[in-house]
Amino acid sequence: MSFPSNLSSAEEVPDVSYVEDVSPGTGALPPRAWYAQSDAARLSLNGRWRFRLSATADAHDASFAAPGHDTSGWDEVTVPGHWVLQGHGTPIYTNHLYPFPVDPPHVPTENPTGDHLRAFDLPADWPADGDAVLRFDGVESCAKVWLNGEPLGEFKGSRLPHEFAVGPLLKARGNVLAVRVHQWSSGSYLEDQDQWWLPGIFRDVTLLHRPAECAADFFVHASYDHVTGSGTLRVDAEVPGRVTVPELGIDTATGAPVTVPVEPWTAETPRLYAGVLASGSERVELRIGFRTVALRDGLITVNGTPVLFRGVNRHEFHPETGRALDAATMRQDLELMKRHNINAVRTSHYPPHPAFLDLCDELGLWVIDECDLETHGFVEQGWRDNPVDDDRWTPALLDRAARMVERDKNHPSVIIWSLGNEAGTGRGLNTMAEWIRGRDPERLIHYEGDPDCRDTDMYSRMYASHAEVEEIGRGLDGGTTRRRALPFILCEYAHAMGNGPGGLADYQRLFEAHARNQGGFVWEWIDHGIRDERYGYAYGGDFGEELHDGNFVCDGLLFPDRTPSPGLAEYKKVIEPVRIEGDGAGGTVRIVNGYDFADLSHLAFTWSYQLDGETVAHGPLTVPPLAAGESAEVKLPAPPDAGRPGESQWTVRAVLAADTAWAREGHPVAWGQLPVAPGAVAPAVAGDRPVRGDGRITLGPASFDARTGELRTLGPVEVTGLRLDVWRAPTDNDNGAPWQPDPRLGPLWRELGLHRMRHRLDAVEAGDDALTVRTRVAPAGRDVGLRTVYRWTSDGERLRLTVSVTPEGRWAVPLPRLGIRFGLPASYGSVRWFGGGPGEAYPDTRAASMLGRWTAEVDRLQTPYVRPQENGARADVRWAELSGAEGALRMEGDPAFWFTARRWTSEQLDAAGHLTDLVPSSETVWVSLDHAQQGIGSQSCGPGVLPGYQLMVAPAEFSFTFTA
Ligand code: IPT
């Protein structure tokens, strides 16, 4: 923190009553449409600004705003940016708790306040006539602004634009813009979103020339009549002018509707027409998308067709710059979404940078634009004193609604306005909805917090269980009469915290089976881990916060650096817009076009044929350009294996036939595998006899400790610690959320002692044809146990292990995993396998796991969850080979198994709080061959693991064959 050196006694305590005033502010211009392209001059004021941080709102008077103020003791920050990410103070993470006493509208005296100063000259060609406005696109949470020493006003509403008229104050040279930003204000009570508290001028600051007859505000109405195929354009403008769309031959007055044949805009076919609004002396470029949004027969329709949302919730986040995002990052987010078959985004929980919506128009995404409003912390007091139910706050709420709608109303991608998130219920919300409906009856309204749907056009929920989604889909959920007639969406589901989310495919089936269920939005797009030297990525508590919610802020489908997590690969597969199904032996494949609008002409299809995972033939597949919703049985070629033995299958893929704005030709969109013939039954591994001698028992290629029965060597390879394993480092979803009714398995497992199982040796029996080791595996202090018998056989070359597990006692919880674990020398670092891949999979996250031959280094098998936890299993592995100094060790499963290998143990993984705590062993690679795994679910916020994916304790037997 830097304190000023020039505090003079002449300074007076400034009046900062506006900070706690519930009003939205004073002095700003009325909100209007935001647009990027106009021929009016503009000057970006982004860049380095002089900066002084004070501990309280009233530490300094306004003298700093006057030109000539001595800032020699000041620091500098980058605008857009947050000062807490630039070495001044620290971020705070809370989910819903206010990090200050709840006493609305008061805020603490300790109120970090950043004075920002920026001097600028007008460019030489700045027009001499006309006016100018100064625009702030986002400042958290309250700012007071001066230009050349003159106060312009003050405002709240962090993620909304504010403009001030500044024309008469501007000078050609030596302008001084002063902005005082307070971290806490009455506005903070309305901005209790689950995210980091990050004060600062975090979006652009721009000076805009306003020519004498400028476009001012305008509203583009562009509807589409799906019956006639025509579009109607009407641009209402505050200042009259002309609207031209050359491609459509349109040249009309503002306010006058024109109807012409057009191609409609949809998220799948984002057809935009370039137009110009010319009013007086300004020309604004328009990008017009014709589309009509309506509630029809109880469904959300666009251009007459119901849509299915395959959505995500997107917070604005960058690991270094917080909510200050550059254009490249915004585009990257959207390209990644499109490449992963995502078609919708909810701008949780505030309007995004406006340029993001331009990109949504261009690339094609359905957008729920959400207002900057959340009062979640009031839930702690049963919603008493909730600002949304207190008329004194209503002007602030209406101001926020208007700033969102006016700014974003010209985007075809925005089809739904959302009043906000988690704000309870109240008259203020009703008033917002009423105003929005009056201003823009051509879009629908969303809000999740009112189960009676008084203000909304859809019934929306978060984290409803599969069973409840099914009930809602069938219309059996009851509710108010109004609600019963409404479509349903899950505005949040599938909490993507850590490993997971599980159960996505099961949700998707329910969305596709019931028309009322119009899809959902996964929570959430990206982990909000802050880049940090000590922790790699920091989360709540890492900055010493008094109140915090730990790594609940890392719950995205992307890691903080925007690398896709396995959850995103899974989501892509589950929501793929083309289904490729069938029984491979039948000679055909069924192709279902699951798009709502597009036909399949933009895709190319291929087939390939695998024998034991290896592709032996491939070629193009001709698929008719099916219209949306249509399907066809397509003939496959004759199987190319001509009766060769082995496991065989078809893999059919749909890829982009040509480059698009978001991916190149050949980009994979959908795939399916059709099994043809199962693999051969493994031959018996028997005949050899165990031989005792010199403290060892040898059996075929292996040697064992004669006393303990432990495997010591397998051919030339040393093996350590091979034994039954039931523990996994609990995932965030295992640990569960306290508000969920399901048992929280992580804590229960620990209480039971599954992380400290003891292995009692009962017998080592060297028989005629097998070495049998009898044990009982159980935790101290409990009477439950697993009788475990290891039976080793060999044919002289290969070694086979059969593990038989018999539970004893009453097991009330599922197991984390059931399998064996052992250590190999560290050189065993390369893996080849035939099974599911290339990525991680668990019982309820395995849709994206493709059967084939894969290779990877052990280090690359790890999934870097920001808080370390169980990860990295590969599903359905028939065999795996680990290569090291002594050659390859092959492991075949009977049946197929889950394969995991890592350079630390599950216990070390469990003990780590951050990735930087994981230190690879220089001696051992730990290998887990699991017969079964507990599913993942999404109980870190939502429902737990569905019954079908639970690893219930029951007798089990499984075998592995080793060859070294
Ligand atoms: C829900 C919130 O809307 C969202 O912002 C986020 O906090 C999410 O949960 C969890 O990460 S509210 C929750 C109490 C259901």
Side-chain angles (χ1 to χ4, degrees):
M1 220 181 265
S2 61
F3 287 97
S5 50
N6 59 344
L7 232 187
S8 78
S9 54
E11 290 198 33
E12 284 165 20
V13 176
D15 175 12
V16 290
S17 55
Y18 60 88
V19 171
E20 294 188 332
D21 180 339
V22 296
S23 95
T26 58
L29 292 166
R32 64 181 181 116
W34 194 100
Y35 50 88
Q37 302 295 329
S38 140
D39 62 355
R42 58 175 63 202
L43 176 66
S44 168
L45 297 175
N46 294 346
R48 297 295 283 173
W49 289 48
R50 304 293 286 166
F51 178 75
R52 168 180 71 183
L53 184 65
S54 308
T56 63
D58 62 0
H60 297 285
D61 67 13
S63 56
F64 83 105
H69 185 77
D70 175 14
T71 58
S72 49
W74 289 37
D75 222 313
E76 277 193 352
V77 290
T78 295
V79 170
H82 306 279
W83 68 72
V84 290
L85 298 182
Q86 300 183 55
H88 305 272
T90 49
I92 300 172
Y93 167 57
T94 58
N95 168 9
H96 75 274
L97 291 178
Y98 289 104
F100 47 78
V102 180
D103 182 22
H106 303 292
V107 296
T109 301
E110 299 89 352
N111 188 356
T113 292
D115 288 334
H116 297 67
L117 270 185
R118 154 99 203 221
F120 64 93
D121 300 333
L122 293 179
D125 57 354
W126 192 264
D129 63 328
D131 202 345
V133 304
L134 192 57
R135 184 174 70 201
F136 294 90
D137 282 318
V139 181
E140 181 169 329
S141 82
C142 170
K144 179 161 177 159
V145 188
W146 294 259
L147 183 64
N148 296 330
E150 286 300 315
L152 300 178
E154 76 285 332
F155 63 91
K156 300 166 196 122
S158 298
R159 297 104 199 176
L160 292 162
H162 294 84
E163 287 183 328
F164 295 92
V166 294
L169 296 175
L170 280 177
K171 306 184 285 192
R173 304 190 64 77
N175 294 288
V176 175
L177 176 57
V179 187
R180 172 165 282 172
V181 183
H182 308 285
Q183 172 156 24
W184 309 121
S185 69
S186 65
S188 306
Y189 283 97
L190 304 181
E191 295 173 6
D192 191 26
Q193 292 96 343
D194 173 11
Q195 60 180 347
W196 295 98
W197 298 89
L198 298 174
I201 305 175
F202 71 98
R203 286 187 191 154
D204 312 87
V205 182
T206 317
L207 181 70
L208 301 157
H209 179 244
R210 305 312 297 134
E213 304 244 308
C214 63
D217 191 24
F218 58 90
F219 198 160
V220 177
H221 300 271
S223 59
Y224 180 72
D225 181 336
H226 65 278
V227 178
T228 62
S230 58
T232 299
L233 176 67
R234 192 189 79 234
V235 180
D236 294 336
E238 209 178 319
V239 174
R242 285 205 79 72
V243 177
T244 47
V245 186
E247 197 184 344
L248 294 172
I250 293 178
D251 183 348
T252 185
T254 52
V258 194
T259 300
V260 289
V262 296
E263 289 172 44
W265 188 97
T266 72
E268 294 168 5
T269 55
R271 179 67 160 97
L272 291 173
Y273 290 91
V276 171
L277 165 63
S279 53
S281 39
E282 185 177 18
R283 284 167 54 87
V284 177
E285 285 178 31
L286 306 177
R287 296 195 311 165
I288 302 158
F290 292 87
R291 52 113 192 87
T292 292
V293 186
L295 208 56
R296 283 165 48 124
D297 302 325
L299 296 176
I300 300 166
T301 65
V302 180
N303 305 334
T305 302
V307 293
L308 184 63
F309 296 118
R310 303 163 161 103
V312 286
N313 281 280
R314 174 183 178 268
H315 265 293
E316 293 184 309
F317 187 75
H318 186 281
E320 279 155 14
T321 58
R323 284 188 283 279
L325 261 54
D326 61 12
T329 306
M330 294 184 228
R331 179 171 274 272
Q332 192 188 358
D333 273 350
L334 283 171
E335 286 178 355
L336 280 167
M337 286 180 197
K338 293 291 286 188
R339 288 178 195 159
H340 289 88
N341 294 332
I342 288 164
N343 73 358
V345 54
R346 172 177 178 232
T347 68
S348 55
H349 299 301
Y350 40 82
H353 189 291
F356 180 79
L357 297 177
D358 281 339
L359 289 168
C360 290
D361 295 343
E362 181 189 323
L363 300 181
L365 268 297
W366 306 120
V367 177
I368 299 185
D369 195 356
E370 190 151 275
C371 199
D372 191 4
L373 172 63
E374 172 157 344
T375 61
H376 203 163
F378 286 87
V379 73
E380 291 292 313
Q381 51 198 57
W383 295 106
R384 182 169 32 78
D385 295 332
N386 185 0
V388 311
D389 200 23
D390 178 338
D391 294 341
R392 287 172 296 179
W393 291 83
T394 304
L397 303 184
L398 280 174
D399 182 72
R400 284 167 189 251
R403 286 188 188 281
M404 168 179 74
V405 171
E406 300 300 1
R407 190 193 77 166
D408 295 342
K409 60 187 180 283
N410 293 328
H411 291 284
S413 57
V414 175
I415 59 167
I416 296 170
W417 300 116
S418 176
L419 304 180
N421 184 58
E422 291 278 1
T425 54
R427 295 187 302 279
L429 289 166
N430 310 141
T431 312
M432 286 171 85
E434 223 169 88
W435 183 88
I436 293 175
R437 253 184 234 294
R439 177 62 176 144
D440 182 18
E442 290 166 347
R443 287 184 174 92
L444 305 180
I445 294 184
H446 168 269
Y447 177 64
E448 182 272 348
D450 175 13
D452 293 341
C453 304
R454 275 167 288 214
D455 300 316
T456 68
D457 296 305
M458 62 209 70
Y459 176 34
S460 172
R461 287 283 305 281
M462 40 175 79
Y463 309 104
S465 68
H466 295 84
E468 195 181 356
V469 170
E470 166 137 46
E471 190 177 54
I472 295 169
R474 293 186 190 279
L476 301 175
D477 55 305
T480 56
T481 311
R482 175 175 174 82
R483 183 174 110 186
R484 288 182 209 188
L486 295 179
F488 176 69
I489 65 163
L490 275 168
C491 68
E492 292 177 24
Y493 79 115
H495 199 247
M497 184 179 180
N499 188 334
L504 280 171
D506 309 84
Y507 276 113
Q508 195 63 24
R509 274 193 286 277
L510 296 171
F511 298 157
E512 291 176 14
H514 304 282
R516 188 188 185 196
N517 293 345
Q518 292 198 264
F521 297 77
V522 165
W523 187 268
E524 67 175 305
W525 177 237
I526 184 167
D527 286 343
H528 311 208
I530 293 180
R531 184 107 65 212
D532 180 274
E533 253 177 50
R534 168 147 162 232
Y535 297 118
Y537 291 109
Y539 50 76
D542 291 340
F543 298 100
E545 301 104 298
E546 185 176 37
L547 289 178
H548 68 82
D549 287 288
N551 69 317
F552 203 63
V553 77
C554 292
D555 52 1
L557 295 172
L558 296 182
F559 294 113
D561 66 356
R562 289 189 156 69
T563 314
S565 85
L568 185 55
E570 177 76 2
Y571 195 39
K572 174 182 181 178
K573 174 68 179 133
V574 162
I575 59 177
E576 61 189 9
V578 180
R579 295 279 177 227
I580 297 170
E581 332 162 311
D583 147 29
T588 62
V589 56
R590 187 174 165 76
I591 309 286
V592 183
N593 179 349
Y595 286 103
D596 293 325
F597 301 92
D599 66 26
L600 296 188
S601 57
H602 65 292
L603 299 177
F605 288 77
T606 62
W607 62 266
S608 62
Y609 192 84
Q610 286 84 38
L611 200 57
D612 286 331
E614 232 158 1
T615 297
V616 293
H618 59 91
L621 186 72
T622 307
V623 172
L626 302 171
E630 285 182 353
S631 61
E633 290 288 336
V634 176
K635 217 174 142 29
L636 290 163
D641 60 344
R644 273 190 278 165
E647 182 173 353
S648 54
Q649 67 183 14
W650 298 98
T651 301
V652 174
R653 291 180 166 85
V655 303
L656 286 181
D659 290 353
T660 64
W662 45 269
R664 313 289 285 176
E665 174 186 343
H667 164 82
V669 171
W671 57 272
Q673 290 188 312
L674 292 66
V676 179
V681 180
V685 178
D688 236 49
R689 188 192 168 96
V691 182
R692 279 186 185 270
D694 201 16
R696 293 273 160 136
I697 297 174
T698 52
L699 175 65
S703 78
F704 298 80
D705 184 302
R707 194 176 52 79
T708 64
E710 276 182 284
L711 179 64
R712 289 287 185 235
T713 57
L714 182 51
V717 191
E718 279 184 41
V719 181
T720 50
L722 188 149
R723 43 156 76 169
L724 188 82
D725 190 17
V726 296
W727 180 241
R728 75 181 184 196
T731 64
D732 294 316
N733 286 314
D734 289 338
N735 285 335
W739 54 83
Q740 281 297 330
D742 297 336
R744 303 174 68 184
L745 292 179
L748 284 178
W749 288 338
R750 227 180 272 281
E751 198 188 320
L752 186 59
L754 298 186
H755 59 310
R756 49 175 170 78
M757 297 293 265
R758 297 292 162 161
H759 297 247
R760 186 183 78 204
L761 179 63
D762 290 337
V764 177
E765 300 163 359
D768 284 350
D769 57 350
L771 170 67
T772 305
V773 181
R774 299 183 189 280
T775 68
R776 185 176 188 276
V777 182
R782 309 280 167 189
D783 71 347
V784 292
L786 302 167
R787 288 240 170 239
T788 304
V789 179
Y790 306 84
R791 186 166 190 276
W792 299 95
T793 56
S794 176
D795 59 3
E797 285 197 354
R798 293 173 300 166
L799 180 71
R800 183 172 168 100
L801 166 65
T802 298
V803 182
S804 312
V805 180
T806 312
E808 292 183 343
R810 191 174 163 272
W811 285 85
V813 289
L815 293 174
R817 62 163 12 109
L818 182 68
I820 57 165
R821 177 175 92 177
F822 53 92
L824 295 177
S827 69
Y828 283 77
S830 306
V831 194
R832 231 161 65 84
W833 76 98
F834 172 31
E840 164 186 303
Y842 288 83
D844 54 351
T845 65
R846 57 185 290 171
S849 180
M850 183 189 255
L851 188 60
R853 296 246 190 146
W854 309 101
T855 57
E857 297 304 303
V858 165
D859 299 322
R860 305 287 303 170
L861 293 177
Q862 317 308 311
T863 307
Y865 294 113
V866 171
R867 186 192 73 79
Q869 52 196 278
E870 166 65 27
N871 72 84
R874 299 311 192 263
D876 283 326
V877 176
R878 276 71 168 152
W879 55 257
E881 263 175 32
L882 267 160
S883 312
E886 312 288 344
L889 173 69
R890 186 178 168 95
M891 299 150 273
E892 285 163 69
D894 180 12
F897 57 97
W898 302 87
F899 177 82
T900 311
R902 46 173 79 111
R903 296 190 183 277
W904 36 76
T905 60
S906 294
E907 290 74 13
Q908 289 163 332
L909 193 58
D910 189 12
H914 294 86
L915 285 165
T916 45
D917 296 335
L918 288 172
V919 183
S921 160
S922 57
E923 275 159 28
T924 312
V925 166
W926 292 101
V927 180
S928 292
L929 310 181
D930 289 304
H931 176 58
Q933 278 270 3
Q934 162 75 0
I936 296 294
S938 70
Q939 205 187 330
S940 51
C941 185
V945 176
L946 285 171
Y949 308 119
Q950 306 250 15
L951 172 43
M952 300 317 287
V953 181
E957 189 170 284
F958 46 95
S959 303
F960 304 104
T961 301
F962 301 91
T963 322

